[in-house]
Amino acid sequence: MERTNDSLLTEFVLVGLSAHPKLQTVFFLLVLWMYLMILLGNGVLISVIIYDSHLHTPMYFFLCNLSFLDICYTTSSVPLILDSFLTGRKRVSLSGCMVQMFLSFAMGATECVILGMMALDRYVAICYPLRYPIIMSKGTYVPMAAGSWVAGLVDSVVQTSLTTQLPFCANNVINHFVCEILAILKLACADISINVISMAGSNLILLVIPLLVISISYVFIVATILRIPSTAGKCKAFSTCSAHLTVVIIFYGTIFFMYTKPKSKSSVGTDNQDIVEALISLFYGVMTPMLNPLIYSLRNKDVKTAMKNMLGRKHFSDGI
């Protein structure tokens, strides 16, 4: 454990996998490859949606926001993760740590709300198909997306502000790859009850409520699909929701696995648990954004057709 002679800390030390130098090289290459795939996959998906006018619909507008969120989320943390793999015990200033924490928290909170908005969009599309163009007009879905961004940013401002007011007096070692808010709160040498209450309220509003919206929406969606007489109609209706549902399961499944598993009581177990939590968080922060464009492109005929058209036109123009 590293300590500082100053009364208050001015920097943190990210431990990461410094105790496992062989794993650092493997994870550096793996995370770097995954990050490049995230930039490529989400970048292509955004380009295709912007390029093809047939995809200028509420569903793909939300998907474009989701892809942009994934790029921003990973860019706020992955460069720091890669640097920590190269340098071992990475030193980060207090201000730099708070900026990175603010960006990651804001993007994560916004993604929760966006997934809820996408569920509402699918609910209207399946349950009220004839009224869908009227209900989900541009004057509706644009404010929905903007509200998601505002909610995530405001929540992150609140949580980061409360964290910056805490004193950090002795222990400055974070058993994580990045400046994760829960890992930082463990180091505070003051009462964090206000932070805990605030985090609980934040989780209720931006995590639980969107999940309830998604669950209730899909109850009505499934009930509506089951009433469709033809098997082909049922398959077509479900295919428009399957990609979103897959992303939701991966996204929320990883979050709940991270925060609901039992805690170890032994000191050795706690150290190992910190590493396991950090690796799960790494999966949550890198694997999910990499899978999202694959899920939406492989399971969506419109996106695949738009990609072929864009590549075909580019090939034709290059030939000319």
Side-chain angles (χ1 to χ4, degrees):
M1 178 179 295
E2 295 190 5
R3 296 185 180 273
T4 177
N5 294 326
D6 300 327
S7 58
L8 295 177
L9 293 176
T10 58
E11 65 178 16
F12 291 105
V13 177
L14 298 173
V15 175
L17 290 174
S18 58
H20 309 277
K22 293 183 179 179
L23 287 179
Q24 284 193 137
T25 303
V26 175
F27 273 91
F28 172 82
L29 296 174
L30 179 62
V31 173
L32 177 61
W33 176 80
M34 293 171 70
Y35 180 54
L36 294 176
M37 291 300 101
I38 290 169
L39 296 180
L40 177 63
N42 287 286
V44 169
L45 194 55
I46 292 172
S47 300
V48 168
I49 293 173
I50 294 175
Y51 164 81
D52 196 316
S53 60
H54 296 95
L55 302 183
H56 294 176
T57 62
M59 182 177 74
Y60 295 108
F61 177 76
F62 287 124
L63 179 55
C64 191
N65 275 265
L66 183 64
S67 292
F68 183 67
L69 264 172
D70 286 338
I71 291 175
C72 293
Y73 181 79
T74 51
T75 301
S76 69
S77 58
V78 169
L80 185 61
I81 294 173
L82 294 175
D83 193 14
S84 68
F85 285 147
L86 291 177
T87 58
R89 299 168 72 85
K90 174 66 178 176
R91 294 183 177 273
V92 184
S93 66
L94 178 62
S95 58
C97 202
M98 292 302 160
V99 169
Q100 187 268 313
M101 186 185 75
F102 166 78
L103 293 173
S104 296
F105 198 95
M107 298 303 107
T110 303
E111 184 157 348
C112 291
V113 184
I114 283 285
L115 289 174
M117 296 299 181
M118 294 176 75
L120 286 176
D121 172 69
R122 293 299 83 206
Y123 162 73
V124 177
I126 299 298
C127 299
Y128 303 96
L130 298 179
R131 298 175 58 191
Y132 178 73
I134 299 174
I135 297 175
M136 293 301 295
S137 63
K138 191 173 183 179
T140 301
Y141 66 79
V142 171
M144 288 171 65
S148 302
W149 282 92
V150 171
L153 291 171
V154 169
D155 183 49
S156 187
V157 167
V158 172
Q159 303 306 325
T160 305
S161 299
L162 291 175
T163 304
T164 55
Q165 295 175 18
L166 294 172
F168 301 94
C169 308
N171 184 12
N172 67 336
V173 177
I174 301 176
N175 291 313
H176 212 285
F177 302 104
V178 294
C179 298
E180 201 266 341
I181 188 168
L182 295 181
I184 293 176
L185 290 178
K186 292 179 182 179
L187 305 181
C189 54
D191 183 20
I192 61 170
S193 57
I194 295 179
N195 301 77
V196 172
I197 294 172
S198 177
M199 284 287 292
S202 169
N203 290 338
L204 175 63
I205 296 172
L206 298 180
L207 190 66
V208 176
I209 291 180
L211 182 57
L212 286 176
V213 170
I214 293 169
S215 301
I216 294 172
S217 297
Y218 273 99
V219 168
F220 286 102
I221 288 171
V222 171
T224 302
I225 291 176
L226 292 177
R227 290 198 297 267
I228 298 176
S230 67
T231 303
K234 290 179 181 178
C235 293
K236 183 178 180 181
F238 184 74
S239 66
T240 64
C241 305
S242 58
H244 174 256
L245 190 58
T246 303
V247 169
V248 167
I249 292 172
I250 295 174
F251 182 82
Y252 278 97
T254 310
I255 291 178
F256 284 116
F257 182 78
M258 282 174 58
Y259 295 113
T260 59
K261 59 187 184 303
K263 303 292 182 182
S264 174
K265 294 183 179 179
S266 67
S267 59
V268 176
T270 301
D271 291 337
N272 291 332
Q273 185 181 27
D274 287 337
I275 294 299
V276 171
E277 288 179 351
L279 289 173
I280 294 172
S281 177
L282 183 63
F283 172 86
Y284 161 72
V286 181
M287 182 67 75
T288 306
M290 185 186 72
L291 293 177
N292 285 353
L294 293 176
I295 293 170
Y296 276 103
S297 60
L298 293 177
R299 301 178 66 89
N300 191 299
K301 293 181 180 179
D302 293 335
V303 173
K304 288 190 287 187
T305 301
M307 284 184 177
K308 291 178 181 178
N309 292 338
M310 187 175 72
L311 293 175
R313 182 169 294 186
K314 185 179 183 301
H315 177 72
F316 177 76
S317 62
D318 289 343
I320 294 177

